[in-house]
Amino acid sequence: MLSKQDNELITNTDPGTPMGDLFRRFWLPVALSSELPGPDCVPTRIKVLGEQLIAFRDSQGNPGLVDAFCPHRGAPMFFARNEENGLRCVYHGWKFDVTGKCTDLPNAPEGETFKNKVEIKCYPSVDAGDLIWAYMGPKDKQPPFPEFPWTKLPANHRHLAKFRLECNYLQAMEGDYDPSHAPFLHSTFLPPTPLQQQAQGTYYRSPDNRGVGNSNPDEQYPKVVGDRRVTDKRAQQFGKLFDDEAAMLSVRFQDQPDGKVSASVGVTWWMPLFCTAGNALPGHLSSNMRVPIDNESMMFYRLRWSWEPMTEDMVQEYKHGGWTHPEMIPGTWKTRDNVFNDYNVDRLAQRNFSYTGIKTFPLQDIAMMENQWGPIADREQEHLTSSDYMIIKVRRRLLKAARDLQNGIEPTEPWHPEIYRMHRETAVAATPEQAFEEATRKAKTDLLAEFEAQTVTV
Ligand code: FES
Ligand SMILES: [Fe+2]
């Protein structure tokens, strides 16, 4: 649980709040690059961290992110003309470039000099990995760009989707590093037979559908719990956590037959909102980014990526397979099954085939996330258990970083962009400490450099 005050502190990312200030020390995704299709494209509305903004591209194709309201008399920049390297307010013609500078002020004789005194609020933005990213903090604290390898790979190595959720970022993010939920929420009652796969369509489509058997003879209602029950033995498989600059590492140790020990080291979460969990096609990696729109809604960027190019079949499976990605309402960022229709839960399927009766993997999560005591979970009412250990650790870390910043202690994490390169690696050694150290060293090796070297050789 959290106190009322801590819950308010950790969930409120509005401008001028402690958590809002902390988030504004990091580069965050704010739109898909495809929302700004080319030079001088139509401007689009964006709301991030409680701020209303307008995104556009100038005549060179550079992205710009400016206040949604003109500094003259507050007219909506959404209706602005995007012309010759700038956005011109249609009310009285003031024009601004992608740096926020006023380049023309034609409605008054003093315009030629007065324009030098006027700026529109503007945030630095870049295109990377099919996303527009923004830095919304103080100019003198702007950090280097995080070195996620997938931002540097060719576009056919990624599949990126975006959905709007009606809840606070934190409860959605916490679902990613919640190790005991998947055998319940995401499971089917039995591994599917080929016939069931055909018959049950989306409930059984994935090779990773986590069917859980019912082999526990003492279980009175095996379909309800069965082998899902977390015992001491299974709890030992939960990872141990270590902080490493911007990353929270999850480490699994395993004794080897020869007396040595192996350590598998990977990142579960990077400051402040980057997660690696989630189901994907074999060989693919996940990145889930949940960016607050405001405190009661957020944008979910769901990325699947690979060191190998994705085939058209894989992309089609993501888009239309009905398992890893939900169907959308065309022209919106809303899923067809959503909070307003109870995700079209199928109670017959729930009784007989799947644990939830909700189709598609992420919607099973979203149905929980959007309804945890409402859009901002009241964590004062929680009763956490040992399986919530990652959730507790991330909260502590975010709260500490936000409090430190209020006390003038800047976060160091944004200044370690190389940590965002990390991947999972395993090492075997005589002691757990040595295995951990070696696996961590390997997990920090630069696979992108290796990829680029190979590409050049070919
Ligand atoms: S309000 Fe934009 S130019 Fe006047
Ligand atoms: Fe989940």
Side-chain angles (χ1 to χ4, degrees):
M1 66 167 280
L2 287 181
S3 68
K4 198 170 165 14
Q5 293 74 13
D6 280 357
N7 201 36
E8 161 69 16
L9 195 153
I10 200 168
T11 54
N12 189 348
T13 55
D14 282 345
T17 62
M19 199 53 68
D21 287 349
L22 180 67
F23 272 46
R24 284 169 175 77
R25 293 295 196 270
F26 293 83
W27 284 94
L28 300 175
V30 298
L32 301 178
S33 297
S34 56
E35 291 176 68
L36 302 175
D40 298 328
C41 61
V42 171
T44 189
R45 285 192 185 100
I46 289 191
K47 192 172 178 192
V48 191
L49 306 179
E51 296 188 47
Q52 295 185 65
L53 303 167
I54 296 293
F56 68 108
R57 286 187 199 273
D58 68 11
S59 305
Q60 273 69 51
N62 302 312
L65 198 61
V66 297
D67 195 348
F69 305 101
C70 176
H72 176 215
R73 290 209 295 115
M77 294 300 286
F78 174 72
F79 296 107
R81 295 171 57 88
N82 192 0
E83 55 175 41
E84 288 184 295
N85 281 326
L87 215 48
R88 192 184 289 280
C89 177
V90 289
Y91 208 178
H92 315 95
W94 292 20
K95 182 175 169 184
F96 305 92
D97 67 13
V98 289
T99 68
K101 198 164 157 286
C102 182
T103 55
D104 196 16
L105 200 154
N107 73 322
E110 71 275 23
E112 266 315 290
T113 48
F114 191 55
K115 73 177 184 187
N116 299 326
K117 298 187 182 137
V118 181
E119 283 189 347
I120 190 166
K121 181 172 79 177
C122 176
Y123 295 124
S125 54
V126 296
D127 254 307
D130 304 332
L131 287 164
I132 306 287
W133 301 70
Y135 170 73
M136 296 169 63
K139 281 199 172 67
D140 61 335
K141 300 287 191 294
Q142 182 178 324
F145 193 75
E147 295 173 8
F148 289 113
W150 52 265
T151 62
K152 305 265 178 54
L153 295 176
N156 63 348
H157 290 241
R158 288 184 291 273
H159 176 70
L160 191 54
K162 148 170 170 170
F163 340 117
R164 180 191 161 107
L165 267 64
E166 309 303 325
C167 67
N168 186 260
Y169 84 95
L170 185 64
Q171 63 212 62
M173 188 168 87
E174 290 184 335
D176 264 32
Y177 41 82
D178 172 337
S180 67
H181 82 284
F184 298 90
L185 186 75
H186 297 308
S187 65
T188 48
F189 290 135
L190 288 169
T193 64
L195 192 64
Q196 282 172 329
Q197 269 182 340
Q198 269 179 15
Q200 294 312 317
T202 52
Y203 291 108
Y204 283 134
R205 278 192 62 90
S206 168
D208 178 28
N209 78 347
R210 298 174 192 260
V212 176
N214 302 317
S215 60
N216 182 353
D218 302 326
E219 189 61 56
Q220 195 180 1
Y221 297 102
K223 277 189 177 175
V224 179
V225 176
D227 289 351
R228 296 169 176 85
R229 190 173 298 281
V230 175
T231 57
D232 282 353
K233 199 161 158 237
R234 232 187 75 208
Q236 283 165 17
Q237 294 165 7
F238 292 159
K240 294 198 171 8
L241 301 177
F242 295 85
D243 287 323
D244 190 330
E245 287 302 339
M248 183 177 78
L249 306 181
S250 157
V251 185
R252 262 173 255 121
F253 293 104
Q254 210 164 25
D255 293 331
Q256 300 298 296
D258 60 1
K260 292 185 173 168
V261 62
S262 75
S264 164
V265 174
V267 175
T268 297
W269 173 84
W270 283 280
M271 280 278 266
L273 52 71
F274 301 97
C275 299
T276 58
N279 94 335
L281 292 176
H284 291 183
L285 298 153
S286 300
S287 181
N288 297 320
M289 299 161 267
R290 298 181 177 85
V291 184
I293 296 171
D294 51 32
N295 294 329
E296 298 198 354
S297 62
M298 45 146 282
M299 212 51 100
F300 177 20
Y301 296 93
R302 181 168 166 86
L303 169 76
R304 297 296 175 262
W305 67 281
S306 171
W307 290 102
E308 301 295 326
M310 288 187 182
T311 63
E312 190 53 31
D313 279 0
M314 291 167 172
V315 174
Q316 288 304 317
E317 172 60 34
Y318 280 138
K319 280 188 176 158
H320 305 296
W323 183 257
T324 59
H325 287 72
E327 190 180 335
M328 306 299 292
I329 299 173
T332 74
W333 305 117
K334 286 303 294 177
T335 57
R336 188 185 59 111
D337 301 336
N338 58 50
V339 65
F340 303 110
N341 55 27
D342 289 330
Y343 313 91
N344 288 312
V345 58
D346 179 342
R347 298 295 190 176
L348 184 64
Q350 186 179 34
R351 190 167 288 271
N352 294 297
F353 305 117
S354 88
Y355 210 76
T356 58
I358 295 170
K359 288 178 188 169
T360 80
F361 210 88
L363 278 180
Q364 294 160 359
D365 289 308
I366 290 169
M368 302 300 106
M369 295 160 174
E370 288 183 317
N371 298 279
Q372 289 176 259
W373 287 293
I376 303 181
D378 176 3
R379 293 178 176 75
E380 235 186 331
Q381 297 192 52
E382 287 176 335
H383 298 81
L384 300 183
T385 63
S386 56
S387 58
D388 297 310
Y389 65 105
M390 289 198 224
I391 287 168
I392 295 165
K393 185 157 172 77
V394 172
R395 286 180 191 176
R396 284 192 183 144
R397 193 155 167 194
L398 279 172
L399 284 167
K400 178 172 185 321
R403 287 207 181 92
D404 280 353
L405 184 55
Q406 295 309 296
N407 294 325
I409 303 167
E410 287 287 326
T412 56
E413 290 89 346
W415 299 90
H416 287 275
E418 73 286 354
I419 293 290
Y420 294 85
R421 282 185 212 161
M422 280 187 79
H423 49 275
R424 183 165 284 280
E425 290 282 358
T426 303
V428 179
T431 67
E433 292 74 23
Q434 287 166 352
F436 172 61
E437 199 177 309
E438 176 58 9
T440 307
R441 189 193 62 73
K442 281 163 72 179
K444 288 181 180 176
T445 55
D446 189 355
L447 292 184
L448 185 65
E450 288 174 24
F451 172 87
E452 283 168 346
Q454 276 172 14
T455 315
V456 170
T457 316
V458 172

